[in-house]
Amino acid sequence: MKERLVELKTEALEKVAQAEDAKALQDVKVQYLGKKGPITEVLRGMGKLPKEERPVIGQMANDVREEISTAIDEKQTKMEEAALEKQLQEETIDVTLPGRPAQTGGPHLLTSLIEEIEDLFIGMGFEIAEGPEVEADYYNFEALNLPKGHPARDMQDSFYITEEILMRTHTSPVQARTMEQHKGKGPVKVICPGKVYRRDTDDATHSHQFTQIEGLLVDKHVRMSDLKGVLNAFAKQMFGEEREIRLRPSFFPFTEPSVEMDISCKMCGGEGCSVCKGTGWIEILGAGMVHPNVLEMAGYDPNEYTGFAFGMGPERIAMLKYGIDDIRHFYTNDVRFLNQFHKA
């Protein structure tokens, strides 16, 4: 029986060594260590042995079983390690390759430009004032020297909600509200950015919704030269130190005198080209001295207080500054267009 156990151990260890996969190893385990295996049969036949041999054969059988079991466990561990190593090799990630960059968003070009203009005027001591987009007819027109029936109202064809409520056509109502809140006391020094609405047909230069930034300064002894100084500083900061400005007489119901401001054409340096239509100048905004009637309606004494106001369209400024030829590009959300100004 001793010889049989030695023979079984040798056979089992050879088959363990020859096993190439987990199934073959499991078959060896079942064959030699299972309930119907030869080692179990040896143990069952010990009752036929003399009493003095039973402990020796029993100990030897247990040692053989333990040795085979240990060999199987060691071979299984090696197989698992080899399988893991193979998987790691097959699924290797080259960490030296550059990653795919995450595409990040950014402020819209108009948002960036409006913030730039705000920062510029804040540096001059102006504050930012905002107001409702759904506005009363009184603040949108009447408080700005545009009574009902005034022919100048035709210049701003409007979206009316009721006879007395409309979508504001400019941000000037914010100026009227701000002056009213100051109750006839100065100084008032604000810029009013925001969206406005007009019943325009959308094309390359017009939109039914666009943005405006209007400015207002009311105080004692405010002069036209103060207005020109502020606008000159704005033009040079926004379009370059080499830009020149000129003021042309114009008409706005809420200012008197009124002017249009032009800047020298950056394409031709004022020599005349197709961009400036041969004039050397490009219109950029409207301005003027606050009309005495507007001051009076807001509670100011026009004999004591004067002021100036100006209004500009950020879309027009962006189109001139960045060479954009169609206002609709700002609102169609074309990523190809927006990405050009991601860091503008």
Side-chain angles (χ1 to χ4, degrees), residues 62-80:
N62 286 332
D63 290 345
V64 170
R65 177 191 288 274
E66 183 66 28
E67 194 168 345
I68 294 173
S69 180
T70 300
I72 291 173
D73 290 343
E74 290 177 352
K75 185 63 180 282
Q76 184 172 353
T77 300
K78 289 180 179 178
M79 285 182 173
E80 290 174 351

Side-chain angles (χ1 to χ4, degrees), residues 164-272:
E164 298 298 328
I165 302 294
L166 72 157
M167 304 299 292
R168 67 182 181 188
T169 60
H170 45 192
T171 58
S172 299
V174 183
Q175 300 179 7
R177 288 176 177 273
T178 302
M179 286 191 290
E180 187 177 78
Q181 290 166 5
H182 280 72
K183 299 180 179 179
K185 301 294 182 183
V188 177
K189 197 173 184 181
V190 296
I191 60 168
C192 312
K195 293 193 289 289
V196 300
Y197 306 86
R198 295 184 186 175
R199 195 168 166 270
D200 274 332
T201 300
D202 290 1
D203 57 28
T205 57
H206 297 84
S207 174
H208 66 280
Q209 174 190 303
F210 54 99
T211 58
Q212 269 194 349
I213 297 179
E214 301 198 17
L216 171 72
L217 191 155
V218 175
D219 202 355
K220 297 177 180 178
H221 313 301
V222 177
R223 300 165 299 181
M224 191 75 169
S225 57
D226 298 320
L227 170 62
K228 184 177 181 180
V230 168
L231 297 182
N232 188 56
F234 161 75
K236 291 184 180 300
Q237 179 70 27
M238 188 58 54
F239 296 101
E241 288 294 327
E242 68 279 8
R243 297 278 74 76
E244 300 292 335
I245 71 168
R246 74 174 183 182
L247 302 180
R248 294 181 288 106
S250 187
F251 169 78
F252 302 108
F254 29 83
T255 53
E256 181 61 40
S258 304
V259 295
E260 298 277 2
M261 187 186 95
D262 303 331
I263 59 169
S264 55
C265 178
K266 69 175 183 178
M267 301 301 294
C268 64
E271 296 296 323

Side-chain angles (χ1 to χ4, degrees), residues 4 15 46-47 78 82 86 94 99 106 126 130 135 152 156 158 165 171 192 221 236 255 270 274 277 292:
R4 177 59 177 159
K15 290 187 177 182
M46 286 177 57
K78 289 180 179 178
K86 181 181 179 182
D94 187 352
F126 286 77
E130 297 180 333
E135 187 56 274
Q156 300 184 29
S158 313
I165 302 294
T171 58
C192 312
H221 313 301
K236 291 184 180 300
T255 53
S274 60
K277 299 178 181 178

